[in-house]
């Protein structure tokens, strides 16, 4: 990592929670977007495995490979000067146990250039969190709705609508914190549950669909920028409508190409003085 890069840092995020400053996190998958988000002041860029659905066109995150995440992390890491870069351990890269999880995490750091890794699950992945954190790699947990295992656990639906379920999620989040996670993402849980998690853990809890009581918020950048318009969860606020803007720009371009209006003189290169006339004359030696 180049000197002076990623100056938010893990201690910086813990300090933000301590002084009550909200953490602003967004997903990123490529270099130009990472640069824009970083320069706008995002604290954390997450190379989420949502990559599979919002960039690679899959209908699930389970098809995303470790190589996919490494490839996109490299681009994001090159574009992030200030923000901390966290990469997701994709489905299949950690479930086999702590050794496999650590090997995958090392690859995201060494080959991808991430600063930290994130994995989904609770008590059942605590030993993997311990192994990764024990090797000196900052690690983030992810509780509530966990998309990688959503097919077997109720689909893309809000979790912890009952107090018993909420306590179960808290138990999982505590296990992650005890194992060494420096941050926990809480997805799709009622606002009071997000607040309870934030107040119960020492480490920051960043919510997505977890209400305003969390220590920070994360959104999928393509959703909040309106590049992707299919996803309409209740928690999503669109801050732009870029798909419409891109559609308009592409239609204008195509119509100008077909109508011969583009390129105009101002977009064309000229020749040196007197050379143009010679193009159609006899060849000179
Ligand atoms: O993959 C992802 O984008 C995520 C966020 C939804 C937190 O895990």
């Amino acid at each position: 990592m180049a000197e002076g890069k990623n100056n938010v840092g893990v201690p910086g995020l813990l300090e933000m929670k301590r002084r009550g400053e909200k953490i602003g996190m967004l997903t990123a998958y490529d270099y130009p977007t990472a640069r824009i988000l970083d320069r706008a002041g995002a604290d954390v860029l997450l190379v989420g495995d949502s990559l599979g659905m919002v960039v690679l066109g899959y209908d699930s995150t389970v098809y995303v490979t470790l190589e996919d995440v490494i490839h996109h992390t490299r681009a994001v890491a090159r574009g992030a000067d200030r923000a901390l870069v966290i990469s997701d351990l994709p489905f299949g890269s950690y479930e086999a146990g702590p050794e496999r999880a650590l090997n995958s995490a090392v690859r995201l750091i060494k080959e991808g250039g991430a600063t930290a890794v994130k994995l989904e699950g609770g008590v059942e992945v605590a030993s993997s969190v311990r192994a990764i954190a024990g090797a000196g790699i900052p690690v983030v947990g992810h509780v509530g709705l966990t998309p990688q295992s959503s097919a077997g656990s109720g689909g893309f639906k809000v979790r912890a609508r009952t107090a018993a379920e909420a306590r179960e999620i808290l138990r999982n989040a505590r296990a992650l914190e005890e194992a060494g996670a420096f941050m926990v993402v809480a997805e799709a849980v009622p606002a009071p549950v997000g607040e309870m998690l934030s107040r119960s853990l020492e480490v920051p809890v960043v919510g997505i669909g977890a209400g305003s009581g969390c220590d920070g918020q994360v959104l999928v950048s393509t959703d909040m920028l309106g590049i992707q318009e299919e996803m309409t969860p209740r928690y999503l606020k669109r801050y732009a409508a870029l798909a419409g803007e891109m559609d308009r720009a592409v239609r204008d371009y195509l119509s100008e190409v077909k109508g011969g209006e583009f390129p105009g003189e101002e977009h064309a290169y000229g020749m040196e003085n007197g050379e143009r006339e010679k193009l159609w004359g006899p060849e000179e030696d």
Side-chain angles (χ1 to χ4, degrees), residues 10 19-20 172 185 223 273 283:
V10 171
R19 61 170 190 264
N172 283 315
V185 167
D223 290 341
N273 271 348
E283 254 183 62

PDB file of all heavy atoms in Angstrom, residues 10 19-20 172 185 223 273 283:
ATOM      1  N   VAL A  10      -8.424   1.578  10.767  1.00  0.00           N
ATOM      2  CA  VAL A  10      -9.286   0.902  11.751  1.00  0.00           C
ATOM      3  C   VAL A  10      -9.395   1.726  13.040  1.00  0.00           C
ATOM      4  O   VAL A  10     -10.513   1.953  13.543  1.00  0.00           O
ATOM      5  CB  VAL A  10      -8.767  -0.534  12.024  1.00  0.00           C
ATOM      6  CG1 VAL A  10      -9.512  -1.168  13.190  1.00  0.00           C
ATOM      7  CG2 VAL A  10      -8.892  -1.379  10.764  1.00  0.00           C
ATOM      8  N   ARG A  19     -16.574   9.008  19.528  1.00  0.00           N
ATOM      9  CA  ARG A  19     -17.014  10.403  19.633  1.00  0.00           C
ATOM     10  C   ARG A  19     -18.369  10.667  18.970  1.00  0.00           C
ATOM     11  O   ARG A  19     -18.803  11.816  18.851  1.00  0.00           O
ATOM     12  CB  ARG A  19     -15.956  11.365  19.126  1.00  0.00           C
ATOM     13  CG  ARG A  19     -15.544  11.230  17.708  1.00  0.00           C
ATOM     14  CD  ARG A  19     -14.672  12.407  17.251  1.00  0.00           C
ATOM     15  NE  ARG A  19     -14.493  12.337  15.818  1.00  0.00           N
ATOM     16  CZ  ARG A  19     -13.448  11.782  15.230  1.00  0.00           C
ATOM     17  NH1 ARG A  19     -12.460  11.313  15.928  1.00  0.00           N
ATOM     18  NH2 ARG A  19     -13.393  11.705  13.913  1.00  0.00           N
ATOM     19  N   GLY A  20     -19.041   9.578  18.550  1.00  0.00           N
ATOM     20  CA  GLY A  20     -20.412   9.717  18.047  1.00  0.00           C
ATOM     21  C   GLY A  20     -20.509  10.245  16.626  1.00  0.00           C
ATOM     22  O   GLY A  20     -21.570  10.710  16.210  1.00  0.00           O
ATOM     23  N   ASN A 172     -24.958 -13.483  18.239  1.00  0.00           N
ATOM     24  CA  ASN A 172     -24.016 -13.696  17.129  1.00  0.00           C
ATOM     25  C   ASN A 172     -23.054 -12.524  16.992  1.00  0.00           C
ATOM     26  O   ASN A 172     -21.852 -12.709  16.795  1.00  0.00           O
ATOM     27  CB  ASN A 172     -24.800 -13.890  15.823  1.00  0.00           C
ATOM     28  CG  ASN A 172     -25.390 -15.286  15.730  1.00  0.00           C
ATOM     29  OD1 ASN A 172     -24.718 -16.264  16.015  1.00  0.00           O
ATOM     30  ND2 ASN A 172     -26.651 -15.370  15.356  1.00  0.00           N
ATOM     31  N   VAL A 185     -21.454  -5.378  10.307  1.00  0.00           N
ATOM     32  CA  VAL A 185     -22.518  -4.868   9.434  1.00  0.00           C
ATOM     33  C   VAL A 185     -23.810  -5.572   9.841  1.00  0.00           C
ATOM     34  O   VAL A 185     -23.826  -6.795  10.020  1.00  0.00           O
ATOM     35  CB  VAL A 185     -22.189  -5.139   7.943  1.00  0.00           C
ATOM     36  CG1 VAL A 185     -23.417  -4.906   7.060  1.00  0.00           C
ATOM     37  CG2 VAL A 185     -21.028  -4.265   7.477  1.00  0.00           C
ATOM     38  N   ASP A 223     -27.174   1.201  -6.437  1.00  0.00           N
ATOM     39  CA  ASP A 223     -28.583   1.415  -6.063  1.00  0.00           C
ATOM     40  C   ASP A 223     -28.816   2.877  -5.699  1.00  0.00           C
ATOM     41  O   ASP A 223     -29.767   3.505  -6.178  1.00  0.00           O
ATOM     42  CB  ASP A 223     -28.970   0.561  -4.843  1.00  0.00           C
ATOM     43  CG  ASP A 223     -29.038  -0.925  -5.180  1.00  0.00           C
ATOM     44  OD1 ASP A 223     -29.152  -1.259  -6.364  1.00  0.00           O
ATOM     45  OD2 ASP A 223     -28.976  -1.733  -4.239  1.00  0.00           O
ATOM     46  N   ASN A 273      -0.185  22.799 -42.112  1.00  0.00           N
ATOM     47  CA  ASN A 273      -0.518  23.701 -43.227  1.00  0.00           C
ATOM     48  C   ASN A 273      -0.086  23.140 -44.573  1.00  0.00           C
ATOM     49  O   ASN A 273       1.039  22.681 -44.733  1.00  0.00           O
ATOM     50  CB  ASN A 273       0.186  25.058 -43.018  1.00  0.00           C
ATOM     51  CG  ASN A 273      -0.700  25.970 -42.210  1.00  0.00           C
ATOM     52  OD1 ASN A 273      -1.885  25.677 -42.005  1.00  0.00           O
ATOM     53  ND2 ASN A 273      -0.129  27.061 -41.719  1.00  0.00           N
ATOM     54  N   GLU A 283       1.605  11.111 -55.517  1.00  0.00           N
ATOM     55  CA  GLU A 283       2.473  10.802 -54.361  1.00  0.00           C
ATOM     56  C   GLU A 283       3.813  11.438 -54.521  1.00  0.00           C
ATOM     57  O   GLU A 283       4.391  11.431 -55.618  1.00  0.00           O
ATOM     58  CB  GLU A 283       2.638   9.293 -54.237  1.00  0.00           C
ATOM     59  CG  GLU A 283       1.841   8.743 -53.096  1.00  0.00           C
ATOM     60  CD  GLU A 283       2.050   7.262 -52.910  1.00  0.00           C
ATOM     61  OE1 GLU A 283       3.186   6.871 -52.635  1.00  0.00           O
ATOM     62  OE2 GLU A 283       1.052   6.535 -53.071  1.00  0.00           O
TER      63      GLU A 283
END
